[in-house]
Amino acid sequence: SAEGVEYTINIADPVDYTSAINRLEVKVTKTESGKESETVESTNAIYNKDAVYVDSYTVDFSQDSYELSDFADWRDLSVKGIITAKEGVSTDVKVEVIAYDNAGNPADDLSVTKELQIDRKAPEINVSFDNNSVKNDEYFKNDRIMMIDYTERNLDVDCLKFDLSIDGVDYGILTLDEVIENGKNNGSIIEVVSGNDVNPLEVKNEGTDEQISTLKLKFSHDKTKSDDAIYSIVPSCIDKAGNDNNPLTYTDGTKAGDSFVIDKKAPELS
């Protein structure tokens, strides 16, 4: 999830039991990337069917001011809660839920543990090139490999998008497969030169907020088919939690980062 996680706990006491729900305990333990696990201090509250309880809490259903009829014999109850997380980080969460009946029994079937992740960290994208030997602001006589580093733990190739135009034709926002498909047109050639057939991304620091997935795209020119190949490409992504990437950055010294021309054809004299 990209924000706090809302949930509902439904509690049903088996019909052949004579005791009803007495209290509910919810314990939330959070682990922010790079930090120690921390269990959120619990708060105590009297049950309110309209309330939304935050993080760790204990809800008491046994108040003298309530009549059994208020809770339909207390056999079926719903408790709403929310698990919060700081903006700008990914947080691993463990939620432990125990319901006790009026006899004080925390039966096995009244105990549940769930693990989830709340991702409120926007992906970072940095672009660099192996060839920055530019002429006249945008011309290159040799191939260029574009290296795109995505810093994001919840990302795969399906999250990647590219705003592409070739030789003045605007293809709009494309997937990686669509980039490669449209990249072989006339004299233009775009190829993936990273990863493998299963995953084109090269991954480091996997499973952390410092996970870097690198995609390498090679831009070339077939001089037998055209005078040159004109490229404009801007990568973007949306991670699995729905977070858009922060503004794109380019490594210092990058020349003609988003638009360039590959021209391998020598001039002809007549």
Side-chain angles (χ1 to χ4, degrees):
S1 171
E3 299 180 356
V5 174
E6 298 179 359
Y7 61 89
T8 299
I9 300 172
N10 297 309
I11 307 166
D13 215 16
V15 294
D16 56 347
Y17 284 12
T18 57
S19 58
I21 298 301
N22 177 273
R23 74 181 189 276
L24 179 75
E25 293 181 357
V26 176
K27 183 171 71 173
V28 172
T29 301
K30 302 178 183 180
T31 308
E32 296 178 6
S33 183
K35 296 185 179 180
E36 296 292 327
S37 297
E38 180 180 353
T39 299
V40 181
E41 184 176 354
S42 180
T43 58
N44 297 315
I46 298 172
Y47 176 69
N48 181 339
K49 64 183 178 62
D50 297 318
V52 178
Y53 302 98
V54 179
D55 291 332
S56 298
Y57 56 87
T58 298
V59 175
D60 188 353
F61 299 102
S62 62
Q63 301 304 305
D64 294 336
S65 59
Y66 293 118
E67 299 294 335
L68 282 176
S69 58
D70 293 337
F71 295 113
D73 292 336
W74 294 12
R75 291 190 186 280
D76 295 289
L77 300 172
S78 294
V79 176
K80 291 176 285 189
I82 185 170
I83 302 168
T84 62
K86 294 178 182 178
E87 188 173 359
V89 298
S90 295
T91 305
D92 294 315
V93 178
K94 182 171 74 171
V95 185
E96 299 171 87
V97 180
I98 303 176
Y100 295 84
D101 62 23
N102 278 328
N105 297 315
D108 290 340
D109 56 356
L110 296 179
S111 177
V112 177
T113 299
K114 297 287 186 181
E115 295 185 356
L116 62 144
Q117 185 184 104
I118 304 176
D119 184 354
R120 302 194 65 191
K121 184 177 184 297
E124 304 280 349
I125 303 178
N126 184 76
V127 175
S128 60
F129 289 87
D130 69 332
N131 176 9
N132 287 295
S133 300
V134 65
K135 302 294 183 182
N136 297 318
D137 298 326
E138 60 180 1
Y139 287 88
F140 297 83
K141 66 178 182 178
N142 294 312
D143 298 339
R144 298 189 88 189
I145 295 178
M146 182 185 206
M147 291 161 285
I148 311 169
D149 289 333
Y150 302 88
T151 303
E152 168 59 45
R153 70 188 296 184
N154 294 311
L155 179 136
D156 59 27
V157 68
D158 293 331
C159 301
L160 312 185
K161 301 296 180 183
F162 304 85
D163 189 351
L164 178 70
S165 68
I166 302 174
D167 295 334
V169 178
D170 186 357
Y171 292 94
I173 306 299
L174 304 180
T175 64
L176 178 59
D177 286 343
E178 291 169 336
V179 167
I180 302 308
E181 179 183 348
N182 288 283
K184 297 178 181 179
N185 182 25
N186 294 326
S188 63
I189 305 171
I190 304 177
E191 299 175 290
V192 175
V193 291
S194 56
N196 52 51
D197 292 340
V198 176
N199 183 11
L201 298 172
E202 299 174 353
V203 180
K204 298 185 295 185
N205 307 320
E206 188 169 6
T208 73
D209 276 359
E210 289 71 43
Q211 177 175 313
I212 299 176
S213 303
T214 301
L215 176 69
K216 298 177 183 178
L217 296 176
K218 180 180 178 181
F219 296 83
S220 191
H221 169 225
D222 184 346
K223 63 183 178 181
T224 66
K225 294 184 178 181
S226 68
D227 290 339
D228 53 31
I230 306 171
Y231 298 104
S232 176
I233 184 167
V234 178
S236 62
C237 70
I238 302 175
D239 69 19
K240 293 179 181 179
N243 297 304
D244 290 300
N245 62 271
N246 281 332
L248 187 68
T249 60
Y250 290 87
T251 297
D252 289 346
T254 297
K255 306 296 184 182
D258 58 1
S259 298
F260 51 91
V261 180
I262 306 293
D263 182 359
K264 294 185 176 183
K265 191 171 184 178
E268 296 180 355
L269 297 177
S270 58

